[in-house]
Amino acid sequence: LNGEAITEPDRRGRRVVDDSFLLMFNAHHETIRFTIPKDFGDAWVPEIDTAVPIAIDTKLYRAKEEVPVAGRSVRVLRRA
């Protein structure tokens, strides 16, 4: 979700820019490793992991790095 691709201006006609997010969905029963694309940002921080009730992962993920996503869960990373 590209926060820099918002086409609608705000009420005062200014450009709207928001955070960008990378969503990874794993419907399989085993862990799958997703590779972060290189064209959308160099660094990503974890925001949500539905496999872990309390977020404890503070790792910074880099472009082209693999991110494990537990079975039947969703991970959301925010561009740093």
Side-chain angles (χ1 to χ4, degrees):
L1 302 172
N2 186 354
E4 294 179 8
I6 300 170
T7 58
E8 295 287 323
D10 70 8
R11 294 188 338 211
R12 297 184 181 196
R14 296 176 297 201
R15 181 172 182 246
V16 177
V17 178
D18 200 359
D19 288 332
S20 295
F21 296 93
L22 179 60
L23 286 68
M24 296 169 281
F25 298 86
N26 181 3
H28 191 58
H29 65 276
E30 293 181 5
T31 297
I32 294 178
R33 300 183 72 76
F34 288 78
T35 302
I36 297 178
K38 63 179 178 150
D39 298 333
F40 299 107
D42 293 328
W44 298 82
V45 293
E47 286 292 326
I48 299 170
D49 185 347
T50 62
V52 181
I54 299 174
I56 56 172
D57 186 4
T58 58
K59 178 178 176 26
L60 181 70
Y61 292 97
R62 299 281 179 190
K64 298 197 252 179
E65 188 174 349
E66 289 187 347
V67 179
V69 179
R72 298 187 175 100
S73 71
V74 177
R75 282 193 88 175
V76 178
L77 304 181
R78 179 180 44 82
R79 185 167 50 200

